[in-house]
Amino acid sequence: MYMCTHEQKYCPRCQKSFECKVGSILLCQCTTVILEQEERDYIARHYEDCLCTDCMSAMRAEYHHILFQEKIKRISEIL
């Protein structure tokens, strides 16, 4: 029986080493960070490869911070 091998990768954002389990995606570290499609799109605009879980979470937070800042700006322009 053929066993899927896992790939050792380095996060392009922080350079931390992590194990990518693309052959066993349900066991991969990336499944622990739940992302909406807009958040995935935001990350994909900045990075072409997998990120570690810490950076995925940080990028999700960054995306929401940007959205919040845009809302604040629109509100301040109305006032």
Side-chain angles (χ1 to χ4, degrees):
M1 175 180 230
Y2 176 76
M3 295 295 292
C4 293
T5 58
H6 304 305
E7 183 179 352
Q8 199 65 27
K9 288 191 168 197
Y10 290 91
C11 178
R13 185 171 183 267
C14 73
Q15 306 310 310
K16 182 172 88 175
S17 174
F18 65 94
E19 188 176 49
C20 178
K21 297 181 180 175
V22 71
S24 303
I25 195 66
L26 295 177
L27 301 174
C28 194
Q29 55 98 37
C30 66
T31 61
T32 63
V33 180
I34 307 302
L35 298 171
E36 299 294 327
Q37 185 61 50
E38 297 83 15
E39 297 161 337
R40 286 192 297 273
D41 293 344
Y42 176 74
I43 293 171
R45 284 193 300 272
H46 292 85
Y47 298 98
E48 293 181 12
D49 205 356
C50 300
L51 299 179
C52 70
T53 55
D54 291 341
C55 286
M56 288 172 56
S57 295
M59 290 293 292
R60 179 181 57 200
E62 179 181 295
Y63 172 72
H64 287 283
H65 178 75
I66 289 169
L67 289 180
F68 177 74
Q69 293 299 319
E70 289 172 355
K71 286 179 185 178
I72 294 293
K73 183 179 178 191
R74 284 194 303 269
I75 290 170
S76 68
E77 289 171 352
I78 293 171
L79 302 176

